[in-house]
Amino acid sequence: TVTVTNSFGVTSTDDINVYFPEVYQIQDTTICSGDTIYWNTSLDQDGYTFQWMKEGTQYANVGILEISEEGRYSCIITDSLGCSMETNTIHVGIDEYPRTTSFMADGPWSVQTDTSLCSGNTLGLASNINETTSYIWNTGATSSRITLIETGDYTLTTTNSRGCRAVNSIHANIL
């Protein structure tokens, strides 16, 4: 409430309502390598301008920000009257599981290309074994390793606790 008195002693009272727009704020998060999240402030894109910041440097001037890289992000939002506000800064991390998971056959070597193996060799993960929570082979097997008996294409889809998926495929020629 605002009360004013003029030079003649006349008093007037009025209420002034100040409204702040509600800005959608995402929380710190980690996404899987290759994934994208979208930060939409939920504000009318015609009534505001958006200056997105990454690591404190101007990054983009769009209404909805696509984030697929690790970093610290915020947004300076300006209304049609020139009033600005800055969102909280969020941190987006990248889980590299999909990019760093690979096969290993019997022995200490990683197998990432088509190869020849002996019948009875096994095939499984060479990396990220401890964080893998599920295994699905194109053969229907759900074990961490399979025994190779016949020549063919073998595909393993694995998932970690964040839900990040890695897909590894190989053609194995059985000797």
Side-chain angles (χ1 to χ4, degrees):
T1 301
V2 175
T3 302
V4 294
T5 304
N6 68 14
S7 59
F8 300 109
V10 178
T11 302
S12 180
T13 303
D14 200 355
D15 288 328
I16 298 174
N17 296 315
V18 177
Y19 296 97
F20 295 98
E22 287 195 33
V23 176
Y24 176 70
Q25 176 74 46
I26 64 175
Q27 302 301 313
D28 291 351
T29 191
T30 299
I31 61 174
C32 302
S33 178
D35 285 355
T36 300
I37 59 172
Y38 299 88
W39 187 355
N40 181 350
T41 63
S42 298
L43 295 176
D44 178 11
Q45 294 182 28
D46 292 331
Y48 298 90
T49 59
F50 304 90
Q51 182 180 11
W52 294 96
M53 309 295 282
K54 179 181 178 191
E55 307 296 340
T57 302
Q58 185 175 341
Y59 182 67
N61 291 314
V62 295
I64 300 171
L65 184 64
E66 294 182 23
I67 303 172
S68 58
E69 298 174 353
E70 184 167 358
R72 301 184 68 75
Y73 296 87
S74 65
C75 186
I76 299 171
I77 302 166
T78 305
D79 68 14
S80 60
L81 300 174
C83 297
S84 297
M85 64 152 303
E86 186 168 0
T87 65
N88 292 335
T89 299
I90 61 141
H91 177 263
V92 175
I94 303 294
D95 184 331
E96 296 292 345
Y97 180 84
R99 199 179 59 74
T100 60
T101 303
S102 62
F103 274 142
M104 181 174 75
D106 288 335
W109 55 88
S110 177
V111 178
Q112 297 177 359
T113 60
D114 296 347
T115 191
S116 294
L117 298 167
C118 294
S119 179
N121 279 143
T122 61
L123 187 62
L125 289 184
S127 59
N128 300 328
I129 297 165
N130 292 336
E131 68 177 289
T132 299
T133 58
S134 73
Y135 300 83
I136 302 172
W137 292 88
N138 64 325
T139 63
T142 57
S143 58
S144 62
R145 301 185 74 75
I146 60 171
T147 302
L148 303 179
I149 299 170
E150 56 189 58
T151 295
D153 295 320
Y154 294 91
T155 300
L156 173 61
T157 302
T158 58
T159 308
N160 72 1
S161 61
R162 280 198 176 92
C164 297
R165 291 175 8 129
V167 179
N168 284 273
S169 295
I170 191 170
H171 178 82
N173 183 33
I174 303 302
L175 304 173

